[in-house]
Amino acid sequence: MTEREYVGAIHLHSTFSDGRQPVEEIVAEAQRAGLDYIVVSDHNSDGTARIGLTGRHGGLLVLSAPEVGGRGNPHFLAFGLRDLDALVGMPSADALEAAAAQGAANVIAHPHAAHIALLPRKPVDWEHWDTHAFRGMEIWSYMHDVCHNAVPWRLPLVFTWHRLLVTGPRPETLALWDRLCLTRRVAAFGSLDNHATRKMVIREMYPHRDLFQTIHTHVVCPPLPDDAAAAAAALTDALLDGRSFIAMDTWASAAGFRFRVEGAAGSLGLGQEAPWQPGLRLVVESPREAELTVLRNGEPIERQRDCRRLELPAEGPGVYRIQGRRGRRPWVFTNPIYLRDA
Ligand SMILES: [Zn+2]
Ligand SMILES: [Zn+2]
């Protein structure tokens, strides 16, 4: 089957909540950046959909998945929520269940929230994991990396080269995700969580046009239908199925990165699940030389430097995923392929 790759940015705040830019401007900047899709996630607001801005804008598909959860509560993104108002004021764990009962597909946002040095505000981690009311979780968030690394002696970077503060998914987040994936599929999402909030005297801080060059979620799926609503539904399904990988494309574009499992009966792509059987092979292709690590159930089983293609047998059942680094920088994190014990 032919597949296409759709590169997009997830978790953006507009003036419908505490972002600085109106969504119309964000859409225009995403178009200029050449993105295939964006997901707007305003706090407890679906304003983007309400004013009819979701859908196609030339080559750009605009989705809205409100970020549910109040101040001092953990947050989740809800795709396909019907009645947002019904959730307002609920504790986040209850809101998650209520959203799922409405038919929404939920994604846990920044599960280990960054604690900003110098600020007294305590971060709120997501703790309500013993539920099936979510389909995915953010594993890597640009602004949470920046905040996490914004210690006083790095403050100049916070205002200038903040991309140097983007140091990759937190180990505790990856460990938690790997653990969850042992028994169920949990789609990983890359996020910006950008507000483009402050305008300093000297320069604009964190404009979307800059962050649109950074962490992308690359969806690899059959070509999207022409109809805008059908395309949005298909892209959402692909994201929630984990048919994607996350890349920090600032350093080098990861477009074309592929991970699949090949066997006599065909091949399995990102996010897919099948019984393990002897003879299956893991195949990784990278558009650029990178240090590629193969993980099985969260444990590295193979690592090769300066590598563009890697192939090895799947020796047994397991949740297999790939991490790629370029130099000292984290670069690519794929969703897993799940080879279950038959
Ligand atoms: Zn949040
Ligand atoms: Zn947010």
Side-chain angles (χ1 to χ4, degrees):
M1 193 191 346
T2 53
E3 282 186 325
R4 268 212 52 189
E5 182 169 340
Y6 297 94
V7 182
I10 296 174
H11 195 152
L12 314 171
H13 291 276
S14 76
T15 46
F16 281 116
S17 59
D18 54 354
R20 184 182 53 80
Q21 273 185 306
V23 70
E24 293 85 350
E25 286 180 22
I26 297 174
V27 167
E29 291 200 353
Q31 286 181 301
R32 279 196 289 276
L35 295 181
D36 297 309
Y37 74 94
I38 56 172
V39 179
V40 182
S41 297
D42 274 304
H43 295 288
N44 303 309
S45 167
D46 204 6
T48 299
R50 204 175 56 238
I51 63 168
L53 236 82
T54 47
R56 278 199 198 282
H57 298 259
L60 176 75
L61 194 55
V62 177
L63 310 180
S64 173
E67 182 172 23
V68 180
R71 225 171 242 283
N73 282 286
H75 298 161
F76 65 92
L77 313 184
F79 289 82
L81 194 58
R82 287 200 305 272
D83 184 3
L84 177 59
D85 291 341
L87 310 181
V88 174
M90 280 186 189
S92 295
D94 296 345
L96 185 89
E97 302 295 334
Q102 282 186 27
N106 301 320
V107 174
I108 308 302
H110 44 77
H112 298 100
H115 184 191
I116 305 172
L118 306 176
L119 289 188
R121 192 163 61 91
K122 281 259 189 311
V124 185
D125 292 347
W126 188 271
E127 282 172 348
H128 180 60
W129 294 106
D130 190 18
T131 173
H132 277 74
F134 67 96
R135 297 267 309 270
M137 63 191 275
E138 292 181 356
I139 62 158
W140 194 4
S141 167
Y142 190 95
M143 286 311 299
H144 286 261
D145 264 24
V146 170
C147 292
H148 184 66
N149 292 308
V151 289
W153 58 90
R154 294 201 195 106
L155 274 186
L157 289 178
V158 173
F159 297 102
T160 54
W161 283 85
H162 36 79
R163 50 190 65 180
L164 295 178
L165 299 175
V166 177
T167 49
R170 302 265 283 277
E172 61 268 43
T173 305
L174 291 178
L176 171 67
W177 176 47
D178 284 328
R179 199 161 62 242
L180 291 168
C181 288
L182 292 177
T183 53
R184 53 181 291 198
R185 294 195 301 154
V186 178
F189 283 63
S191 114
L192 295 181
D193 206 353
N194 193 30
H195 298 68
T197 305
R198 279 167 285 176
K199 219 168 191 153
M200 305 299 284
V201 180
I202 314 167
R203 66 195 294 276
E204 197 182 8
M205 296 251 323
Y206 306 110
H208 287 291
R209 65 175 172 276
D210 281 3
L211 268 68
F212 282 159
Q213 315 293 333
T214 63
I215 294 178
H216 297 134
T217 302
H218 297 239
V219 179
V220 181
C221 65
L224 296 175
D226 289 334
D227 175 72
L235 184 72
T236 304
D237 282 349
L239 280 166
L240 294 163
D241 279 344
R243 290 169 164 259
S244 66
F245 63 90
I246 298 149
M248 176 77 172
D249 288 314
T250 310
W251 315 117
S253 169
F257 197 99
R258 293 292 181 272
F259 170 42
R260 61 182 177 275
V261 169
E262 292 182 349
S267 81
L268 282 177
L270 295 169
Q272 293 185 277
E273 185 172 38
W276 175 82
Q277 50 183 284
L280 296 177
R281 298 188 67 74
L282 313 174
V283 179
V284 188
E285 289 166 340
S286 172
R288 289 150 201 276
E289 288 192 344
E291 180 191 278
L292 300 178
T293 304
V294 182
L295 297 99
R296 177 187 179 195
N297 299 336
E299 298 295 330
I301 56 165
E302 176 76 18
R303 180 168 291 143
Q304 286 191 20
R305 291 210 170 146
D306 305 324
C307 183
R308 290 187 63 154
R309 185 184 166 90
L310 201 156
E311 200 174 325
L312 69 161
E315 300 277 15
V319 181
Y320 291 90
R321 64 179 182 85
I322 310 299
Q323 292 181 182
R325 296 181 74 86
R326 279 178 55 85
R328 294 170 54 223
R329 304 265 159 220
W331 185 44
V332 170
F333 293 80
T334 73
N335 264 292
I337 298 174
Y338 304 82
L339 299 178
R340 300 299 192 188
D341 204 337

PDB file of all heavy atoms in Angstrom, residues 29-61:
ATOM      1  N   GLU A  29       1.149  31.229   9.675  1.00  0.00           N
ATOM      2  CA  GLU A  29       2.561  30.894   9.903  1.00  0.00           C
ATOM      3  C   GLU A  29       2.831  29.415   9.656  1.00  0.00           C
ATOM      4  O   GLU A  29       3.894  29.050   9.159  1.00  0.00           O
ATOM      5  CB  GLU A  29       2.976  31.295  11.321  1.00  0.00           C
ATOM      6  CG  GLU A  29       3.003  32.804  11.458  1.00  0.00           C
ATOM      7  CD  GLU A  29       3.835  33.301  12.624  1.00  0.00           C
ATOM      8  OE1 GLU A  29       4.293  32.472  13.432  1.00  0.00           O
ATOM      9  OE2 GLU A  29       4.023  34.525  12.701  1.00  0.00           O
ATOM     10  N   ALA A  30       1.859  28.571  10.004  1.00  0.00           N
ATOM     11  CA  ALA A  30       2.029  27.139   9.739  1.00  0.00           C
ATOM     12  C   ALA A  30       2.076  26.880   8.230  1.00  0.00           C
ATOM     13  O   ALA A  30       2.841  26.033   7.755  1.00  0.00           O
ATOM     14  CB  ALA A  30       0.891  26.350  10.380  1.00  0.00           C
ATOM     15  N   GLN A  31       1.262  27.630   7.480  1.00  0.00           N
ATOM     16  CA  GLN A  31       1.302  27.493   6.018  1.00  0.00           C
ATOM     17  C   GLN A  31       2.660  27.916   5.471  1.00  0.00           C
ATOM     18  O   GLN A  31       3.241  27.243   4.632  1.00  0.00           O
ATOM     19  CB  GLN A  31       0.206  28.344   5.379  1.00  0.00           C
ATOM     20  CG  GLN A  31      -1.182  27.762   5.543  1.00  0.00           C
ATOM     21  CD  GLN A  31      -2.228  28.636   4.876  1.00  0.00           C
ATOM     22  OE1 GLN A  31      -2.387  29.808   5.216  1.00  0.00           O
ATOM     23  NE2 GLN A  31      -2.948  28.062   3.917  1.00  0.00           N
ATOM     24  N   ARG A  32       3.153  29.052   5.974  1.00  0.00           N
ATOM     25  CA  ARG A  32       4.470  29.528   5.509  1.00  0.00           C
ATOM     26  C   ARG A  32       5.574  28.534   5.862  1.00  0.00           C
ATOM     27  O   ARG A  32       6.541  28.390   5.137  1.00  0.00           O
ATOM     28  CB  ARG A  32       4.782  30.901   6.106  1.00  0.00           C
ATOM     29  CG  ARG A  32       4.116  32.050   5.351  1.00  0.00           C
ATOM     30  CD  ARG A  32       4.738  33.386   5.702  1.00  0.00           C
ATOM     31  NE  ARG A  32       4.395  33.810   7.048  1.00  0.00           N
ATOM     32  CZ  ARG A  32       3.270  34.453   7.374  1.00  0.00           C
ATOM     33  NH1 ARG A  32       2.386  34.767   6.429  1.00  0.00           N
ATOM     34  NH2 ARG A  32       3.026  34.806   8.614  1.00  0.00           N
ATOM     35  N   ALA A  33       5.409  27.838   7.008  1.00  0.00           N
ATOM     36  CA  ALA A  33       6.418  26.858   7.421  1.00  0.00           C
ATOM     37  C   ALA A  33       6.321  25.565   6.618  1.00  0.00           C
ATOM     38  O   ALA A  33       7.162  24.685   6.750  1.00  0.00           O
ATOM     39  CB  ALA A  33       6.278  26.566   8.916  1.00  0.00           C
ATOM     40  N   GLY A  34       5.268  25.444   5.809  1.00  0.00           N
ATOM     41  CA  GLY A  34       5.115  24.252   4.966  1.00  0.00           C
ATOM     42  C   GLY A  34       4.622  23.033   5.714  1.00  0.00           C
ATOM     43  O   GLY A  34       4.797  21.904   5.256  1.00  0.00           O
ATOM     44  N   LEU A  35       3.983  23.245   6.870  1.00  0.00           N
ATOM     45  CA  LEU A  35       3.478  22.099   7.628  1.00  0.00           C
ATOM     46  C   LEU A  35       2.268  21.486   6.931  1.00  0.00           C
ATOM     47  O   LEU A  35       1.524  22.168   6.225  1.00  0.00           O
ATOM     48  CB  LEU A  35       3.091  22.528   9.050  1.00  0.00           C
ATOM     49  CG  LEU A  35       4.239  23.002   9.943  1.00  0.00           C
ATOM     50  CD1 LEU A  35       3.714  23.374  11.331  1.00  0.00           C
ATOM     51  CD2 LEU A  35       5.321  21.935  10.052  1.00  0.00           C
ATOM     52  N   ASP A  36       2.077  20.191   7.139  1.00  0.00           N
ATOM     53  CA  ASP A  36       0.911  19.502   6.576  1.00  0.00           C
ATOM     54  C   ASP A  36      -0.292  19.603   7.500  1.00  0.00           C
ATOM     55  O   ASP A  36      -1.429  19.530   7.056  1.00  0.00           O
ATOM     56  CB  ASP A  36       1.234  18.021   6.345  1.00  0.00           C
ATOM     57  CG  ASP A  36       2.355  17.842   5.326  1.00  0.00           C
ATOM     58  OD1 ASP A  36       2.253  18.430   4.234  1.00  0.00           O
ATOM     59  OD2 ASP A  36       3.332  17.143   5.644  1.00  0.00           O
ATOM     60  N   TYR A  37      -0.044  19.711   8.816  1.00  0.00           N
ATOM     61  CA  TYR A  37      -1.163  19.823   9.748  1.00  0.00           C
ATOM     62  C   TYR A  37      -0.702  20.513  11.031  1.00  0.00           C
ATOM     63  O   TYR A  37       0.502  20.542  11.340  1.00  0.00           O
ATOM     64  CB  TYR A  37      -1.750  18.438  10.081  1.00  0.00           C
ATOM     65  CG  TYR A  37      -0.907  17.596  10.991  1.00  0.00           C
ATOM     66  CD1 TYR A  37      -1.104  17.598  12.362  1.00  0.00           C
ATOM     67  CD2 TYR A  37       0.122  16.796  10.495  1.00  0.00           C
ATOM     68  CE1 TYR A  37      -0.314  16.846  13.215  1.00  0.00           C
ATOM     69  CE2 TYR A  37       0.922  16.033  11.324  1.00  0.00           C
ATOM     70  CZ  TYR A  37       0.700  16.062  12.686  1.00  0.00           C
ATOM     71  OH  TYR A  37       1.484  15.324  13.536  1.00  0.00           O
ATOM     72  N   ILE A  38      -1.649  21.080  11.748  1.00  0.00           N
ATOM     73  CA  ILE A  38      -1.398  21.544  13.120  1.00  0.00           C
ATOM     74  C   ILE A  38      -2.578  21.102  13.994  1.00  0.00           C
ATOM     75  O   ILE A  38      -3.694  20.894  13.491  1.00  0.00           O
ATOM     76  CB  ILE A  38      -1.227  23.085  13.237  1.00  0.00           C
ATOM     77  CG1 ILE A  38      -2.438  23.838  12.671  1.00  0.00           C
ATOM     78  CG2 ILE A  38       0.064  23.547  12.577  1.00  0.00           C
ATOM     79  CD1 ILE A  38      -2.386  25.356  12.941  1.00  0.00           C
ATOM     80  N   VAL A  39      -2.299  20.946  15.283  1.00  0.00           N
ATOM     81  CA  VAL A  39      -3.358  20.673  16.252  1.00  0.00           C
ATOM     82  C   VAL A  39      -3.352  21.824  17.261  1.00  0.00           C
ATOM     83  O   VAL A  39      -2.383  22.016  17.991  1.00  0.00           O
ATOM     84  CB  VAL A  39      -3.129  19.332  16.987  1.00  0.00           C
ATOM     85  CG1 VAL A  39      -4.242  19.098  18.011  1.00  0.00           C
ATOM     86  CG2 VAL A  39      -3.054  18.175  15.993  1.00  0.00           C
ATOM     87  N   VAL A  40      -4.426  22.602  17.252  1.00  0.00           N
ATOM     88  CA  VAL A  40      -4.573  23.705  18.204  1.00  0.00           C
ATOM     89  C   VAL A  40      -5.198  23.135  19.478  1.00  0.00           C
ATOM     90  O   VAL A  40      -6.189  22.399  19.411  1.00  0.00           O
ATOM     91  CB  VAL A  40      -5.458  24.825  17.611  1.00  0.00           C
ATOM     92  CG1 VAL A  40      -5.562  25.995  18.591  1.00  0.00           C
ATOM     93  CG2 VAL A  40      -4.907  25.290  16.268  1.00  0.00           C
ATOM     94  N   SER A  41      -4.598  23.445  20.614  1.00  0.00           N
ATOM     95  CA  SER A  41      -5.077  22.879  21.890  1.00  0.00           C
ATOM     96  C   SER A  41      -5.208  23.994  22.918  1.00  0.00           C
ATOM     97  O   SER A  41      -4.356  24.139  23.796  1.00  0.00           O
ATOM     98  CB  SER A  41      -4.102  21.814  22.398  1.00  0.00           C
ATOM     99  OG  SER A  41      -4.028  20.742  21.486  1.00  0.00           O
ATOM    100  N   ASP A  42      -6.264  24.768  22.790  1.00  0.00           N
ATOM    101  CA  ASP A  42      -6.465  25.842  23.758  1.00  0.00           C
ATOM    102  C   ASP A  42      -7.029  25.288  25.059  1.00  0.00           C
ATOM    103  O   ASP A  42      -7.787  24.321  25.065  1.00  0.00           O
ATOM    104  CB  ASP A  42      -7.396  26.913  23.167  1.00  0.00           C
ATOM    105  CG  ASP A  42      -6.611  27.918  22.344  1.00  0.00           C
ATOM    106  OD1 ASP A  42      -5.666  28.514  22.904  1.00  0.00           O
ATOM    107  OD2 ASP A  42      -6.910  28.080  21.154  1.00  0.00           O
ATOM    108  N   HIS A  43      -6.651  25.949  26.163  1.00  0.00           N
ATOM    109  CA  HIS A  43      -7.140  25.524  27.469  1.00  0.00           C
ATOM    110  C   HIS A  43      -8.664  25.640  27.517  1.00  0.00           C
ATOM    111  O   HIS A  43      -9.220  26.736  27.375  1.00  0.00           O
ATOM    112  CB  HIS A  43      -6.569  26.419  28.575  1.00  0.00           C
ATOM    113  CG  HIS A  43      -5.079  26.313  28.742  1.00  0.00           C
ATOM    114  ND1 HIS A  43      -4.464  25.211  29.287  1.00  0.00           N
ATOM    115  CD2 HIS A  43      -4.089  27.167  28.418  1.00  0.00           C
ATOM    116  CE1 HIS A  43      -3.152  25.399  29.318  1.00  0.00           C
ATOM    117  NE2 HIS A  43      -2.894  26.576  28.792  1.00  0.00           N
ATOM    118  N   ASN A  44      -9.311  24.513  27.706  1.00  0.00           N
ATOM    119  CA  ASN A  44     -10.760  24.485  27.916  1.00  0.00           C
ATOM    120  C   ASN A  44     -11.523  25.330  26.906  1.00  0.00           C
ATOM    121  O   ASN A  44     -12.527  25.962  27.238  1.00  0.00           O
ATOM    122  CB  ASN A  44     -11.084  24.944  29.350  1.00  0.00           C
ATOM    123  CG  ASN A  44     -10.366  24.082  30.371  1.00  0.00           C
ATOM    124  OD1 ASN A  44     -10.435  22.856  30.321  1.00  0.00           O
ATOM    125  ND2 ASN A  44      -9.644  24.710  31.287  1.00  0.00           N
ATOM    126  N   SER A  45     -11.024  25.343  25.677  1.00  0.00           N
ATOM    127  CA  SER A  45     -11.708  26.099  24.628  1.00  0.00           C
ATOM    128  C   SER A  45     -11.565  25.391  23.285  1.00  0.00           C
ATOM    129  O   SER A  45     -10.487  24.901  22.953  1.00  0.00           O
ATOM    130  CB  SER A  45     -11.121  27.510  24.494  1.00  0.00           C
ATOM    131  OG  SER A  45     -11.588  28.101  23.296  1.00  0.00           O
ATOM    132  N   ASP A  46     -12.665  25.364  22.558  1.00  0.00           N
ATOM    133  CA  ASP A  46     -12.636  24.810  21.207  1.00  0.00           C
ATOM    134  C   ASP A  46     -12.947  25.922  20.214  1.00  0.00           C
ATOM    135  O   ASP A  46     -13.619  25.721  19.204  1.00  0.00           O
ATOM    136  CB  ASP A  46     -13.648  23.664  21.092  1.00  0.00           C
ATOM    137  CG  ASP A  46     -13.277  22.698  19.969  1.00  0.00           C
ATOM    138  OD1 ASP A  46     -12.189  22.873  19.369  1.00  0.00           O
ATOM    139  OD2 ASP A  46     -14.073  21.787  19.696  1.00  0.00           O
ATOM    140  N   GLY A  47     -12.447  27.121  20.531  1.00  0.00           N
ATOM    141  CA  GLY A  47     -12.740  28.290  19.718  1.00  0.00           C
ATOM    142  C   GLY A  47     -12.379  28.122  18.249  1.00  0.00           C
ATOM    143  O   GLY A  47     -13.108  28.583  17.366  1.00  0.00           O
ATOM    144  N   THR A  48     -11.277  27.444  17.990  1.00  0.00           N
ATOM    145  CA  THR A  48     -10.831  27.262  16.598  1.00  0.00           C
ATOM    146  C   THR A  48     -11.886  26.530  15.775  1.00  0.00           C
ATOM    147  O   THR A  48     -12.165  26.899  14.634  1.00  0.00           O
ATOM    148  CB  THR A  48      -9.488  26.501  16.585  1.00  0.00           C
ATOM    149  OG1 THR A  48      -8.523  27.289  17.284  1.00  0.00           O
ATOM    150  CG2 THR A  48      -9.006  26.257  15.171  1.00  0.00           C
ATOM    151  N   ALA A  49     -12.483  25.511  16.380  1.00  0.00           N
ATOM    152  CA  ALA A  49     -13.548  24.790  15.658  1.00  0.00           C
ATOM    153  C   ALA A  49     -14.811  25.645  15.598  1.00  0.00           C
ATOM    154  O   ALA A  49     -15.501  25.686  14.570  1.00  0.00           O
ATOM    155  CB  ALA A  49     -13.838  23.462  16.365  1.00  0.00           C
ATOM    156  N   ARG A  50     -15.094  26.372  16.677  1.00  0.00           N
ATOM    157  CA  ARG A  50     -16.343  27.146  16.754  1.00  0.00           C
ATOM    158  C   ARG A  50     -16.404  28.217  15.680  1.00  0.00           C
ATOM    159  O   ARG A  50     -17.463  28.482  15.112  1.00  0.00           O
ATOM    160  CB  ARG A  50     -16.459  27.774  18.153  1.00  0.00           C
ATOM    161  CG  ARG A  50     -17.877  28.099  18.561  1.00  0.00           C
ATOM    162  CD  ARG A  50     -17.948  28.605  19.993  1.00  0.00           C
ATOM    163  NE  ARG A  50     -17.106  29.759  20.226  1.00  0.00           N
ATOM    164  CZ  ARG A  50     -16.128  29.815  21.129  1.00  0.00           C
ATOM    165  NH1 ARG A  50     -15.870  28.768  21.885  1.00  0.00           N
ATOM    166  NH2 ARG A  50     -15.394  30.901  21.266  1.00  0.00           N
ATOM    167  N   ILE A  51     -15.257  28.842  15.374  1.00  0.00           N
ATOM    168  CA  ILE A  51     -15.282  29.879  14.333  1.00  0.00           C
ATOM    169  C   ILE A  51     -15.036  29.294  12.941  1.00  0.00           C
ATOM    170  O   ILE A  51     -14.883  30.038  11.974  1.00  0.00           O
ATOM    171  CB  ILE A  51     -14.265  31.009  14.615  1.00  0.00           C
ATOM    172  CG1 ILE A  51     -12.828  30.467  14.592  1.00  0.00           C
ATOM    173  CG2 ILE A  51     -14.589  31.715  15.933  1.00  0.00           C
ATOM    174  CD1 ILE A  51     -11.769  31.561  14.577  1.00  0.00           C
ATOM    175  N   GLY A  52     -14.996  27.967  12.868  1.00  0.00           N
ATOM    176  CA  GLY A  52     -14.912  27.330  11.552  1.00  0.00           C
ATOM    177  C   GLY A  52     -13.519  27.324  10.944  1.00  0.00           C
ATOM    178  O   GLY A  52     -13.371  27.201   9.725  1.00  0.00           O
ATOM    179  N   LEU A  53     -12.492  27.445  11.794  1.00  0.00           N
ATOM    180  CA  LEU A  53     -11.141  27.477  11.240  1.00  0.00           C
ATOM    181  C   LEU A  53     -10.491  26.101  11.120  1.00  0.00           C
ATOM    182  O   LEU A  53      -9.416  25.976  10.543  1.00  0.00           O
ATOM    183  CB  LEU A  53     -10.240  28.405  12.067  1.00  0.00           C
ATOM    184  CG  LEU A  53      -9.629  29.476  11.171  1.00  0.00           C
ATOM    185  CD1 LEU A  53     -10.620  30.603  10.956  1.00  0.00           C
ATOM    186  CD2 LEU A  53      -8.334  30.003  11.740  1.00  0.00           C
ATOM    187  N   THR A  54     -11.130  25.067  11.676  1.00  0.00           N
ATOM    188  CA  THR A  54     -10.596  23.725  11.450  1.00  0.00           C
ATOM    189  C   THR A  54     -10.890  23.345  10.006  1.00  0.00           C
ATOM    190  O   THR A  54     -11.788  23.908   9.377  1.00  0.00           O
ATOM    191  CB  THR A  54     -11.247  22.703  12.405  1.00  0.00           C
ATOM    192  OG1 THR A  54     -12.658  22.909  12.391  1.00  0.00           O
ATOM    193  CG2 THR A  54     -10.754  22.885  13.829  1.00  0.00           C
ATOM    194  N   GLY A  55     -10.103  22.389   9.497  1.00  0.00           N
ATOM    195  CA  GLY A  55     -10.288  21.968   8.107  1.00  0.00           C
ATOM    196  C   GLY A  55      -9.091  22.355   7.269  1.00  0.00           C
ATOM    197  O   GLY A  55      -8.012  22.624   7.789  1.00  0.00           O
ATOM    198  N   ARG A  56      -9.299  22.371   5.959  1.00  0.00           N
ATOM    199  CA  ARG A  56      -8.168  22.621   5.055  1.00  0.00           C
ATOM    200  C   ARG A  56      -7.961  24.108   4.809  1.00  0.00           C
ATOM    201  O   ARG A  56      -8.907  24.866   4.613  1.00  0.00           O
ATOM    202  CB  ARG A  56      -8.437  21.946   3.715  1.00  0.00           C
ATOM    203  CG  ARG A  56      -8.114  20.489   3.691  1.00  0.00           C
ATOM    204  CD  ARG A  56      -7.962  20.023   2.242  1.00  0.00           C
ATOM    205  NE  ARG A  56      -8.076  18.572   2.147  1.00  0.00           N
ATOM    206  CZ  ARG A  56      -7.078  17.746   2.470  1.00  0.00           C
ATOM    207  NH1 ARG A  56      -5.934  18.217   2.892  1.00  0.00           N
ATOM    208  NH2 ARG A  56      -7.255  16.442   2.361  1.00  0.00           N
ATOM    209  N   HIS A  57      -6.679  24.480   4.819  1.00  0.00           N
ATOM    210  CA  HIS A  57      -6.257  25.827   4.413  1.00  0.00           C
ATOM    211  C   HIS A  57      -5.141  25.612   3.406  1.00  0.00           C
ATOM    212  O   HIS A  57      -3.973  25.493   3.789  1.00  0.00           O
ATOM    213  CB  HIS A  57      -5.757  26.631   5.610  1.00  0.00           C
ATOM    214  CG  HIS A  57      -6.814  26.851   6.654  1.00  0.00           C
ATOM    215  ND1 HIS A  57      -7.502  28.036   6.771  1.00  0.00           N
ATOM    216  CD2 HIS A  57      -7.309  26.026   7.604  1.00  0.00           C
ATOM    217  CE1 HIS A  57      -8.379  27.924   7.763  1.00  0.00           C
ATOM    218  NE2 HIS A  57      -8.285  26.722   8.283  1.00  0.00           N
ATOM    219  N   GLY A  58      -5.482  25.480   2.144  1.00  0.00           N
ATOM    220  CA  GLY A  58      -4.485  25.082   1.150  1.00  0.00           C
ATOM    221  C   GLY A  58      -3.985  23.696   1.505  1.00  0.00           C
ATOM    222  O   GLY A  58      -4.772  22.777   1.753  1.00  0.00           O
ATOM    223  N   GLY A  59      -2.683  23.551   1.619  1.00  0.00           N
ATOM    224  CA  GLY A  59      -2.107  22.238   1.944  1.00  0.00           C
ATOM    225  C   GLY A  59      -2.085  21.928   3.425  1.00  0.00           C
ATOM    226  O   GLY A  59      -1.605  20.874   3.822  1.00  0.00           O
ATOM    227  N   LEU A  60      -2.580  22.853   4.232  1.00  0.00           N
ATOM    228  CA  LEU A  60      -2.519  22.680   5.696  1.00  0.00           C
ATOM    229  C   LEU A  60      -3.868  22.209   6.234  1.00  0.00           C
ATOM    230  O   LEU A  60      -4.908  22.785   5.925  1.00  0.00           O
ATOM    231  CB  LEU A  60      -2.161  24.022   6.357  1.00  0.00           C
ATOM    232  CG  LEU A  60      -2.148  24.029   7.881  1.00  0.00           C
ATOM    233  CD1 LEU A  60      -0.901  23.333   8.422  1.00  0.00           C
ATOM    234  CD2 LEU A  60      -2.229  25.465   8.418  1.00  0.00           C
ATOM    235  N   LEU A  61      -3.811  21.174   7.064  1.00  0.00           N
ATOM    236  CA  LEU A  61      -5.017  20.682   7.726  1.00  0.00           C
ATOM    237  C   LEU A  61      -4.974  21.159   9.180  1.00  0.00           C
ATOM    238  O   LEU A  61      -3.984  20.937   9.877  1.00  0.00           O
ATOM    239  CB  LEU A  61      -5.028  19.158   7.650  1.00  0.00           C
ATOM    240  CG  LEU A  61      -6.305  18.406   7.966  1.00  0.00           C
ATOM    241  CD1 LEU A  61      -7.467  18.883   7.103  1.00  0.00           C
ATOM    242  CD2 LEU A  61      -6.084  16.905   7.734  1.00  0.00           C
TER     243      LEU A  61
END
